[in-house]
Amino acid sequence: MKIPNDVVFYMEINGKQLNQKINWQKLNPLLHELSKKNKENSSWNDYSKTGIKYDATQYHYASFNDSIQTYTTHFIIDNKAKFQEFINSTKKKGLEISQKKNYSYVDIDDDVFVAWNNDRAVLSMVNYTKPYKDLLTEENVDSIAAVADSAVAAIVDSAYVTEPELPFDYKEEIVMLKDEIKYLKESIKENNKEITRIQKDIKYLEKHHKYPKENVDTQHSEGETEMYPQEEEYAEAEIDSSYQKELDSIRREDFKIVKKIAEGRFDQYFSSSLEIEVPKAMLTFRDPNSDAYVYTYYGKLMNDGIYGKMMKRFEFGQFFRNAYDSNSYYNLYFDKDKVKLVNNYQHKNSETQKTISSVYKGKKNKKLAALINDKSVGYYVMNVNGSKCFDMMYNLLQDSGDGEYKKEMELMMETMKIILDEEAITKIAPGNGIFVLNELKSKQVEYTDYEYDENYNEKEVKKTKDVAVPNFTFAFATENEGYWNRVFNVLSTNKHLSKNFSKAGNIYSFKDEKGDGYMDQLYFVVKDGIVYLTSSTDNLSAQSQSDVSKQWAKDSSKYPLSGRLDVQKLLIGLEKEFKTPSERKSLDLFRKNVGEMYYRTEVKGDSVETEIDYKIKNSSENSLMYFFDLFDEIYKINEAEKKPQIL
């Protein structure tokens, strides 16, 4: 069976590898607990024995157009009886399994269907939206404009011409009243909620002659224990029967369409050899050793459907359509001590891809790498070719199709090339830069809050709170120091700007006079071909580096884009932001378990390859179970918060 041509997402799950990494003794209780939340009585306890062959490859793919969106999963069955028993526990009560010539199927939900034979199964999710007429297509934009012009003309004329008063038309009045009823029906739920609230207020005022004082937890302050009297549930007004019948009719018609689409897909698959044929283009960067592989046609996701229609309404929409016209490929690995994600980006147009790749071939700069230190929370470094960014923009603009302003755009681009001295601009900022987050410090800031007395009179109150303030350095290389010195000199001597900007030696500084913000003072320096922007002058010199940070610095000079983030240090710096007991428990949990992230991008062949590594820091068997263990702990904290506290 061939994968449909309109697929925008394709995924393979390497069951042979993943099944060896799953600890079902840990996962089963969690899945069972979650299933109880969705159903009153969960009849399935062992999710490791559903009849599905977990150590086989699974295939997933999705497609969409204006009216139909589908997601399909193919998997292998190793125990048909067990699988059918599992399906019976998940399907809606009362639904019968439909028997076809060479397969059986049932709808688990209104838009979810499952079909199977002796050893294969398919899950299909289908969403249908009735197509609507696009009123803003190119064909009728002119007619809409004409109607708008005539409406404006009528308004202008009405300013000078007095219309004769028309006789009362009871038929027109009836239509207006029916429209008003329709509007009231649509907002009836909101109205009933408001009525309930007001009725409770009335009851309380009758008894206490005042409104209750409430805090965030809806418990009365100052020892007051009285609450609103318990009221009976106010029944929502019944929806008009004809309106309800119309809704039911629409649902039935939509379900018929969805069911027909699903049956068509099932018939096609179970009449084939049951082998999946995938276009080679989707498998270009697949690694058979990865745990999961994903292909996405990003261009179709952004250029079709509602997004594509939006782009067509802009004069330069084709520029963005060209930029999005690309494929992305992902290989995911759950290793023992880390999760690794490798992404390959490739533009559909080979010439455009060459231009994009050329941007990632810049010079290295070791001076910037010297700013990385052992104590840093994280950093992000770029070593790209700034001059090639112009070429990439020109390329995307030139390949914009036969638009209305194609010739004008080409002329404008040629003019830009003549006027702009790309070489001079590139010398100002060649493409080497770094951001280093050294630490997060706590700072007490003042802010204004508002309180209200018993008569709801507003009172302004000054309060203080602790916030996390970043100690950072942002720096980039330049081949034109004089330009940046002139920029900072203007800032420090300008009549209006000099109130905040000043100069001491070769250091320019910006100071917030109020001092109530996150950043009190910033420093600007230009020296040795580097422009610095930092929160502290201590960051302007090269930092002490151990063997570990020297390796980070070496990697940062090696790749066009690279970065690192110690999530544990980040959370320690944000400690003051966590206030409530629940937030503190979550913070403690994350601090014990979160690890470090590494990021790097480089050109590999005819694609741009990005690798992201996340190193784990706990006792989980592997990085896959790490996420399940972490989720289980968070779930337990949340459930404990929901239970009533025993005093």
Side-chain angles (χ1 to χ4, degrees):
M1 176 183 166
K2 293 184 178 180
I3 296 291
N5 293 326
D6 59 349
V7 163
V8 296
F9 170 88
Y10 171 77
M11 176 170 65
E12 285 185 14
I13 302 295
N14 191 336
K16 186 176 181 180
Q17 290 186 175
L18 276 181
N19 194 51
Q20 295 175 355
K21 299 176 181 180
I22 294 177
N23 184 336
W24 284 105
Q25 289 183 338
K26 281 186 177 182
L27 189 56
N28 251 322
L30 177 60
L31 293 176
H32 181 60
E33 189 68 25
L34 292 174
S35 66
K36 288 196 299 185
K37 295 290 179 182
N38 299 326
K39 294 184 178 182
E40 293 181 3
N41 296 312
S42 178
S43 60
W44 201 265
N45 296 322
D46 192 351
Y47 287 88
S48 66
K49 297 177 181 178
T50 59
I52 298 173
K53 188 175 175 61
Y54 288 119
D55 59 357
T57 303
Q58 288 186 20
Y59 302 91
H60 302 243
Y61 54 88
S63 60
F64 79 98
N65 55 37
D66 287 345
S67 56
I68 301 170
Q69 301 84 42
T70 66
Y71 188 96
T72 307
T73 302
H74 293 262
F75 45 94
I76 294 176
I77 298 173
D78 59 4
N79 188 326
K80 182 181 177 182
K82 200 71 176 176
F83 179 76
Q84 190 157 324
E85 184 183 339
F86 173 64
I87 292 297
N88 286 329
S89 73
T90 58
K91 70 178 180 64
K92 286 183 176 180
K93 291 181 180 180
L95 284 177
E96 296 295 331
I97 295 175
S98 300
Q99 301 293 334
K100 288 283 194 172
K101 179 181 178 182
N102 48 5
Y103 69 92
S104 305
Y105 86 96
V106 69
D107 52 312
I108 297 177
D109 208 337
D110 289 343
D111 55 359
V112 181
F113 302 82
V114 178
W116 65 94
N117 62 7
N118 290 327
D119 56 2
R120 302 294 175 109
V122 183
L123 182 144
S124 182
M125 291 184 285
V126 185
N127 181 57
Y128 170 75
T129 306
K130 187 175 182 179
Y132 64 93
K133 185 177 181 181
D134 189 358
L135 298 177
L136 294 178
T137 56
E138 295 178 2
E139 294 78 28
N140 54 24
V141 165
D142 292 338
S143 63
I144 292 174
V147 171
D149 290 341
S150 63
V152 171
I155 292 170
V156 173
D157 291 342
S158 66
Y160 301 97
V161 180
T162 303
E163 292 286 343
E165 187 176 351
L166 297 175
F168 178 75
D169 187 345
Y170 77 93
K171 292 182 179 179
E172 184 178 346
E173 190 71 13
I174 290 172
V175 172
M176 292 174 62
L177 291 173
K178 285 185 176 180
D179 288 340
E180 189 173 349
I181 290 173
K182 184 178 180 181
Y183 168 77
L184 291 172
K185 284 181 178 179
E186 290 174 352
S187 60
I188 197 165
K189 290 184 178 180
E190 287 73 15
N191 291 338
N192 281 332
K193 288 179 182 178
E194 185 66 12
I195 290 170
T196 302
R197 186 190 67 78
I198 294 172
Q199 286 176 330
K200 287 183 177 181
D201 282 348
I202 293 171
K203 290 285 186 183
Y204 197 89
L205 287 169
E206 287 174 346
K207 183 176 181 180
H208 301 279
H209 307 156
K210 62 179 181 179
Y211 282 104
K213 296 176 182 178
E214 298 175 305
N215 61 17
V216 177
D217 298 323
T218 68
Q219 299 295 321
H220 301 309
S221 60
E222 302 178 3
E224 190 169 328
T225 58
E226 293 176 287
M227 294 289 292
Y228 278 126
Q230 294 294 325
E231 297 287 340
E232 292 182 359
E233 294 273 339
Y234 288 89
E236 295 182 359
E238 293 184 3
I239 300 175
D240 185 78
S241 59
S242 60
Y243 177 67
Q244 184 63 53
K245 287 178 181 178
E246 184 178 352
L247 287 178
D248 293 340
S249 176
I250 292 172
R251 291 194 189 99
R252 282 194 298 271
E253 290 303 316
D254 287 352
F255 178 74
K256 287 179 182 178
I257 295 171
V258 167
K259 183 179 178 182
K260 187 175 182 181
I261 293 169
E263 284 185 351
R265 297 286 179 97
F266 295 152
D267 289 341
Q268 181 187 9
Y269 175 67
F270 287 103
S271 298
S272 70
S273 65
L274 305 182
E275 296 298 325
I276 305 296
E277 183 180 333
V278 185
K280 290 183 179 179
M282 293 185 186
L283 305 176
T284 305
F285 293 94
R286 182 185 60 173
D287 180 1
N289 295 316
S290 65
D291 294 315
Y293 170 77
V294 174
Y295 157 84
T296 59
Y297 182 4
Y298 193 62
K300 190 173 181 65
L301 280 170
M302 296 302 298
N303 295 335
D304 286 6
I306 187 66
Y307 298 107
K309 290 182 179 180
M310 289 171 61
M311 292 297 179
K312 288 178 182 177
R313 294 169 189 166
F314 295 104
E315 297 296 347
F316 303 107
Q318 187 61 37
F319 169 80
F320 296 102
R321 292 173 67 86
N322 288 339
Y324 290 136
D325 193 20
S326 59
N327 292 330
S328 286
Y329 310 82
Y330 303 86
N331 283 286
L332 180 63
Y333 307 80
F334 292 102
D335 295 337
K336 175 72 175 176
D337 61 341
K338 69 179 179 181
V339 183
K340 182 171 73 173
L341 178 67
V342 180
N343 162 237
N344 291 86
Y345 167 91
Q346 192 175 58
H347 199 277
K348 287 280 190 178
N349 185 301
S350 58
E351 291 302 315
T352 301
Q353 178 58 44
K354 288 179 183 178
T355 308
I356 294 172
S357 296
S358 67
V359 174
Y360 292 89
K361 296 177 181 178
K363 297 178 181 178
K364 314 304 178 187
N365 191 301
K366 293 183 178 180
K367 292 179 182 178
L368 296 175
L371 296 171
I372 298 172
N373 60 84
D374 293 349
K375 296 180 179 180
S376 63
V377 177
Y379 63 83
Y380 183 79
V381 184
M382 59 187 298
N383 298 297
V384 298
N385 190 332
S387 65
K388 294 299 181 181
C389 293
F390 288 95
D391 294 337
M392 180 178 70
M393 296 298 291
Y394 293 144
N395 185 283
L396 292 172
L397 283 168
Q398 284 179 327
D399 188 26
S400 58
D402 297 323
E404 183 179 356
Y405 299 103
K406 180 176 172 58
K407 292 182 179 179
E408 288 83 352
M409 286 296 298
E410 290 177 347
L411 177 61
M412 185 180 74
M413 285 187 292
E414 290 299 321
T415 305
M416 287 171 62
K417 285 187 176 183
I418 295 170
I419 296 175
L420 296 178
D421 187 343
E422 294 177 15
E423 185 177 348
I425 293 174
T426 304
K427 285 183 178 180
I428 293 173
N432 303 91
I434 187 171
F435 176 84
V436 182
L437 180 59
N438 295 301
E439 61 179 328
L440 289 169
K441 295 182 177 180
S442 180
K443 176 190 173 184
Q444 194 174 77
V445 298
E446 191 177 78
Y447 69 100
T448 302
D449 198 3
Y450 297 92
E451 294 181 354
Y452 301 87
D453 59 20
E454 292 183 1
N455 298 319
Y456 291 91
N457 294 315
E458 184 181 87
K459 181 182 177 182
E460 190 176 285
V461 182
K462 294 292 184 181
K463 295 183 178 180
T464 60
K465 64 178 179 179
D466 292 322
V467 297
V469 177
N471 174 15
F472 71 93
T473 303
F474 171 65
F476 59 91
T478 183
E479 296 176 20
N480 190 341
E481 291 187 22
Y483 172 81
W484 290 107
N485 277 316
R486 284 192 292 274
V487 169
F488 298 140
N489 188 53
V490 168
L491 294 175
S492 62
T493 58
N494 181 275
K495 182 172 66 174
H496 301 288
L497 300 175
S498 59
K499 294 178 181 178
N500 298 105
F501 282 92
S502 61
K503 181 182 180 183
N506 67 334
I507 299 177
Y508 298 87
S509 64
F510 169 85
K511 188 172 184 179
D512 183 4
E513 292 180 347
K514 295 181 179 179
D516 57 355
Y518 283 80
M519 304 301 301
D520 290 338
Q521 197 161 3
L522 295 174
Y523 301 92
F524 305 82
V525 180
V526 183
K527 68 173 185 178
D528 300 330
I530 304 293
V531 180
Y532 297 88
L533 166 60
T534 180
S535 57
S536 172
T537 53
D538 295 337
N539 301 328
L540 297 174
S541 57
Q543 305 295 306
S544 60
Q545 294 180 326
S546 64
D547 292 339
V548 175
S549 54
K550 283 180 181 178
Q551 185 60 47
W552 296 341
K554 185 178 179 181
D555 289 343
S556 72
S557 300
K558 180 180 178 182
Y559 300 109
L561 298 176
S562 63
R564 170 187 168 271
L565 178 64
D566 189 325
V567 187
Q568 196 171 62
K569 284 185 179 180
L570 181 67
L571 289 177
I572 292 172
L574 293 172
E575 184 175 4
K576 296 289 185 180
E577 302 292 333
F578 295 82
K579 311 291 185 184
T580 66
S582 176
E583 289 176 345
R584 300 289 302 178
K585 286 181 182 179
S586 298
L587 174 64
D588 291 339
L589 172 66
F590 280 111
R591 282 197 304 195
K592 293 175 183 177
N593 292 282
V594 294
E596 299 178 8
M597 293 185 68
Y598 293 88
Y599 168 96
R600 62 121 181 105
T601 296
E602 61 182 328
V603 175
K604 283 284 187 76
D606 54 354
S607 73
V608 176
E609 184 176 281
T610 298
E611 179 178 325
I612 301 174
D613 296 341
Y614 175 71
K615 291 190 175 182
I616 65 173
K617 283 187 177 180
N618 71 358
S619 58
S620 297
E621 297 98 308
N622 53 64
S623 57
L624 176 63
M625 290 307 300
Y626 161 82
F627 288 105
F628 288 119
D629 292 341
L630 192 59
F631 177 81
D632 188 30
E633 291 295 327
I634 296 171
Y635 179 78
K636 288 176 181 176
I637 291 175
N638 290 335
E639 290 301 301
E641 289 294 320
K642 294 177 183 178
K643 294 179 180 179
Q645 299 296 320
I646 300 175
L647 300 177

